[in-house]
Amino acid sequence: MAIVACSTPPGRSGIAVVRLSGKSALGIVKTFVGGGSLKKTHLSPSLVELVDKKRRVFDQAVITQYLSPNSYTGEDLVEISCHGNPIIVSKIIDLCIEAGAEIAEPGEFTKKAFLNGKMDLSEAESVSSIIHAKSLAGVRSGIKNLKGALSGSVIKIKKSIISCVANLEFNLDISEEDLQPNIINTTLEEVKAQIVVLESLTESFKESQFFQEGASIVLAGPPNAGKSTLFNALINKKHSIVTKEEGTTRDVVEKNFLIKQLPIILKDTAGIRGGQSEAEKQGILKSKEEISSADLVIMFNQKPQKPLSKHLYVFNKSDINTTTDNYDIHISAKENKNISKLKDLIYKRLVGDFSLGEVLLTSKRQSRSVLAASEHLKMASVLLKNGDSLELVVEDLNCCIMELDKITNKTSRDDILESVFSSFCVGK
Ligand SMILES: Nc1nc2c(ncn2[C@@H]2O[C@H](COP(=O)(O)OP(=O)(O)OP(=O)(O)O)[C@@H](O)[C@H]2O)c(=O)[nH]1
Ligand SMILES: [Mg+2]
């Protein structure tokens, strides 16, 4: 069954692209190509006229064909680049359906690519992270995975664990006196080394999430502290209302901006004080909710409490006031003093010295699997240290492999056998 969908955003544009994938894709397209002829070779664009059932021309389009298996989905795939009018797009899709195609589900083209072995799960997920990343840095890490960076490093870890399983299973099958002398120690060393690799993958995940999805920062503190003034200074626009009266901000005011490629979702909130009007009381409730779910809270003119990693203590109005308290930074939002230093501090607090160059995990699903895989390795290492039964160790190592399989492709019994026999000599 061929599937069809418009791959470009809805609305008017210079060009829209309708994609059709499946064995019958070329045949379907031929039913509404009038003037001009379709070339049959791979990757050869043809300029053609599109016609309706009564053979009336309704658009001129460029049709590009990708022949199986050399296409994104692995099937015959046709891209129709038509004029970007929603009426034309909908007409093309209707004609495809009348000729036997089905509307594609979200992500179905990539699902086909995965099912046809064009990419593994981590590569398929990277397509989604490339499309949804909120910064160029996030896009770059997605592209790296699309090219197989994550799969490559997971395969390397799996290989090492598979070889441990193969060795242990071999030793389980032979008598005690034939046991390889250092089997427990060498397995333990290998397991420990892979725990380090897995942990470094998860550590960099949270920071990379900030690059993918953005980090939320809440400006909080007493009324009149200058939260809205700082909000405007950070985004460089007079967006939030500033007055000399207390209780100006009520609703949460939100704006996105970047600090060195890091997408920030900045939120200005109502100043917290004993509630006045009903509207202000509700605003204060909202402020508290935002504070509890923020990635970072910029706390204004409040004596710094015990260091909380989520809080950054800011002393504002340093142009007219001084303090001896130990704030993270002194600023003047009104006079733009120390604002770029504050941005540096925010960046450091959120992502430290982290470099996106090292990040490979791009989804929570992947991070959960890596975490579970390293938990199983930790259990295996405890069993090995305690001299417990090797069968139990093998079980945990197999569970670790199963978790890693969720990121790339399944490990089969053959992979394990191959690992056993690859160490044999030729002729043996
Ligand atoms: N001198 C001085 N005045 C400031 C500074 N920042 C803000 N102000 C003034 O303080 C007053 C209150 O500023 P806002 O930004 O509205 O304060 P807020 O914390 O958002 O107040 P609420 O919305 O009521 O909670 C305004 O008159 C600002 O001009 C500063 O750095 N220096
Ligand atoms: Mg305000």
Side-chain angles (χ1 to χ4, degrees), residues 18 48 71 84 104 108 145 196 200 293 322 325 348 389 401 411 420:
V18 176
V48 297
S71 72
E108 202 175 349
N145 283 353
V196 173
S200 76
S293 65
T322 53
D325 289 333
K348 217 172 170 78
S389 118
I401 295 168
T411 304
V420 176

Side-chain angles (χ1 to χ4, degrees), residues 414-427:
D414 284 353
D415 294 323
I416 296 183
L417 288 178
E418 194 187 315
S419 170
V420 176
F421 294 117
S422 63
S423 56
F424 283 29
C425 307
V426 178

Side-chain angles (χ1 to χ4, degrees), residues 144-277:
K144 241 179 15 191
N145 283 353
L146 184 61
K147 285 162 56 187
L150 174 60
S151 314
S153 62
V154 169
I155 287 167
K156 225 164 132 189
I157 302 167
K158 268 203 306 200
K159 245 189 180 155
S160 135
I161 302 301
I162 288 171
S163 133
C164 290
V165 170
N167 270 325
L168 290 176
E169 286 197 335
F170 179 67
N171 278 273
L172 281 170
D173 285 345
I174 55 176
S175 63
E176 201 128 306
E177 55 273 17
D178 289 337
L179 217 61
Q180 287 171 16
N182 277 328
I183 178 81
I184 293 185
N185 278 341
T186 48
T187 310
L188 188 58
E189 286 312 307
E190 198 51 47
V191 166
K192 277 192 196 155
Q194 298 312 322
I195 291 174
V196 173
V197 180
L198 287 170
E199 284 188 335
S200 76
L201 279 176
T202 39
E203 268 164 33
S204 55
F205 176 65
K206 192 159 167 46
E207 285 90 342
S208 81
Q209 276 302 91
F210 288 152
F211 281 97
Q212 297 283 345
E213 293 173 5
S216 66
I217 299 184
V218 169
L219 305 177
N224 235 11
K227 301 181 293 298
S228 303
T229 310
L230 177 64
F231 182 92
N232 294 341
L234 284 171
I235 63 166
N236 214 5
K237 240 187 216 147
K238 287 204 165 105
H239 187 73
S240 191
I241 300 171
V242 171
T243 73
K244 55 181 185 308
E245 287 166 25
E246 297 196 340
T248 303
T249 308
R250 302 279 169 93
D251 271 324
V252 178
V253 182
E254 208 176 302
K255 215 60 190 163
N256 294 351
F257 76 108
L258 290 174
I259 300 181
K260 298 190 233 169
Q261 288 289 322
L262 180 68
I264 303 286
I265 307 139
L266 187 65
K267 296 178 181 183
D268 185 17
T269 62
I272 294 175
R273 62 171 170 175
Q276 305 286 310
S277 67

Side-chain angles (χ1 to χ4, degrees), residues 41-198:
T41 39
H42 175 67
L43 246 181
S44 49
S46 336
L47 178 66
V48 297
E49 283 177 344
L50 305 181
V51 294
D52 64 11
K53 286 263 169 244
K54 293 183 180 156
R55 310 305 286 174
R56 290 176 301 197
V57 176
F58 67 88
D59 197 19
Q60 203 176 35
V62 172
I63 294 187
T64 311
Q65 334 174 24
Y66 303 82
L67 299 184
S68 172
N70 300 313
S71 72
Y72 182 74
T73 55
E75 307 170 329
D76 280 348
L77 185 129
V78 183
E79 279 180 5
I80 306 165
S81 305
C82 59
H83 289 104
N85 180 332
I87 300 169
I88 297 174
V89 169
S90 136
K91 184 76 198 161
I92 295 173
I93 292 177
D94 285 349
L95 289 168
C96 289
I97 291 168
E98 276 168 37
E102 267 194 0
I103 294 270
E105 303 281 336
E108 202 175 349
F109 285 88
T110 307
K111 187 172 161 197
K112 281 194 174 221
F114 166 67
L115 293 175
N116 290 330
K118 296 295 288 187
M119 52 177 77
D120 68 19
L121 267 185
S122 77
E123 287 158 359
E125 266 176 330
S126 67
V127 174
S128 159
S129 73
I130 290 164
I131 295 170
H132 294 109
K134 292 200 169 68
S135 67
L136 198 57
V139 169
R140 269 194 236 114
S141 90
I143 286 285
K144 241 179 15 191
N145 283 353
L146 184 61
K147 285 162 56 187
L150 174 60
S151 314
S153 62
V154 169
I155 287 167
K156 225 164 132 189
I157 302 167
K158 268 203 306 200
K159 245 189 180 155
S160 135
I161 302 301
I162 288 171
S163 133
C164 290
V165 170
N167 270 325
L168 290 176
E169 286 197 335
F170 179 67
N171 278 273
L172 281 170
D173 285 345
I174 55 176
S175 63
E176 201 128 306
E177 55 273 17
D178 289 337
L179 217 61
Q180 287 171 16
N182 277 328
I183 178 81
I184 293 185
N185 278 341
T186 48
T187 310
L188 188 58
E189 286 312 307
E190 198 51 47
V191 166
K192 277 192 196 155
Q194 298 312 322
I195 291 174
V196 173
V197 180
L198 287 170

